[in-house]
Amino acid sequence: MSFKTSRGVLLTGLLLASTVFGMSTARAENGYRYMHNGSVMRLFWEEGDGVRIFYETPRARLNIRPGTTLFEGSISANGEIYGSAVIFSGTCGQIEYQVSGSFTHGEDTSPFVLSGKAPVRNDACEVVQYSSQNSNSRLVFTY
């Protein structure tokens, strides 16, 4: 098999995969851009079904650097997104917790929500409970 044929098969495979998942290769390479609590976020596809959401431009007064990961997980073929989100605290440091939601492949203008029971810490930074009713239990991403 010549290089030209191999390359053609590879490109055909990439185009087929992008069609199956409803996304263009440009979007897949650059990721999807969303807003979350006043910060510009970027959703990037990782190897396989992996996905990572990170801060592209954190909102003012948020002590987080661009490129910091907020969520890392997977997206299934039917659009279920699940994985670990991070709570950032200047006093207590970072803590991960599990979240899940639905994501529509190829719909970069569709908002989505990740929900889960978020840890609640006391003044000594100890986790005292998990709540589905605080601001970290529902992460909303809009276009």
Side-chain angles (χ1 to χ4, degrees):
M1 184 182 288
S2 71
F3 175 77
K4 191 172 192 176
T5 305
S6 297
R7 184 174 174 213
V9 169
L10 176 62
L11 289 176
T12 302
L14 288 172
L15 290 173
L16 177 61
S18 68
T19 302
V20 168
F21 288 106
M23 60 184 170
S24 72
T25 52
R27 284 189 199 133
E29 289 173 9
N30 296 323
Y32 295 95
R33 182 177 281 154
Y34 287 94
M35 294 298 296
H36 169 66
N37 288 344
S39 294
V40 177
M41 309 299 291
R42 187 68 79 155
L43 182 150
F44 263 103
W45 299 97
E46 301 286 325
E47 190 171 326
D49 63 354
V51 66
R52 184 170 68 96
I53 301 171
F54 65 89
Y55 288 88
E56 183 174 83
T57 309
R59 74 175 184 261
R61 297 184 308 271
L62 189 61
N63 194 19
I64 293 176
R65 293 182 180 182
T68 300
T69 299
L70 173 66
F71 170 83
E72 193 162 10
S74 299
I75 297 180
S76 68
N78 66 356
E80 180 187 2
I81 183 170
Y82 52 92
S84 298
V86 179
I87 294 175
F88 301 94
S89 166
T91 305
C92 298
Q94 300 179 11
I95 188 168
E96 291 186 4
Y97 62 107
Q98 298 301 299
V99 294
S100 62
S102 294
F103 181 83
T104 305
H105 290 285
E107 296 295 328
D108 57 351
T109 59
S110 295
F112 68 99
V113 177
L114 296 175
S115 301
K117 290 189 174 185
V120 177
R121 299 189 265 194
N122 63 18
D123 291 341
C125 297
E126 301 165 325
V127 175
V128 293
Q129 69 179 16
Y130 288 84
S131 173
S132 58
Q133 302 300 316
N134 68 23
S135 62
N136 292 308
S137 62
R138 191 167 191 274
L139 307 175
V140 178
F141 297 87
T142 59
Y143 182 72

